[in-house]
Amino acid sequence: MRTVRFFALLAAVTVGLAVTGWQIAKSRTYQTFGELISEVHTESRLVALTFDDGPAPEAVSKLLPVLHEHGVKATFFVTGAELERYPEAAAALVAAGHELGNHSYSHPRMVFISQAKVASEVERTDELIRAAGQLGDIHFRPPHGIKAISLPYFLKKTGRRTVMWSLEPDSGSQIASSSNTITKHVIDNSKPGDIILLHVMYNSRRASLEAVPGIIEGLQLQGFQFVTVSELLAEESSR
Ligand SMILES: [Zn+2]
């Protein structure tokens, strides 16, 4: 009887540790190693608009004129695999003054992953980002937002910063089918220093793409200015 109880306790503790580990790995504001940024502390009415995945040429060609028309500089966390497929789309983003960030090569769940595999996912993508013409720092955003131990250890060791987000109007359980819902969520909740995450690259995310003009116009009416992640980070270090 005692043995049964012991094993029941052991199982409960194991499950508890696994759940806690997973919550830490998915946390927007904590990781085991290195610097993690999910927002910037500033009084200035600055926000960063960030787009994950891609670059997909169709979405990029729709987005570029919208950003240009409103004088917005954005940050695109792109994958190496798609950079290789669509180098012109990536080069067009850089040429228009937008920032590229590293979102890994193949968008894997980076859990129980070797240092060699992490290095190849990150470094291969950095090289492609450089080939697209990007200068300056290249920030990293973990695919699926998962930062288990091997990934942050590598990022810290190589002096890279992890950039998460503070507003996610179209993620997880909040996936909205209506662009109005997405726009409203951002307009009602933005504060200075926010990093806004949107997924606009694929056809399944049309509502997000259509939400962009409303988000920009709504926040500009509130006096917000859109800057790249690097510009937002510079704001914090200049305080
Ligand atoms: Zn992603």
Side-chain angles (χ1 to χ4, degrees), residues 52-54 77 79 103 107 141-145 197 199 202:
D52 275 14
D53 314 324
F77 287 94
T79 67
H103 195 40
H107 209 278
R141 177 171 282 167
H144 310 282
L197 162 62
H199 301 82
Y202 310 122

Side-chain angles (χ1 to χ4, degrees), residues 102-120:
N102 187 326
H103 195 40
S104 82
Y105 182 84
S106 63
H107 209 278
R109 289 183 186 277
M110 292 172 113
V111 186
F112 303 120
I113 188 170
S114 71
Q115 284 291 288
K117 172 76 173 154
V118 173
S120 115

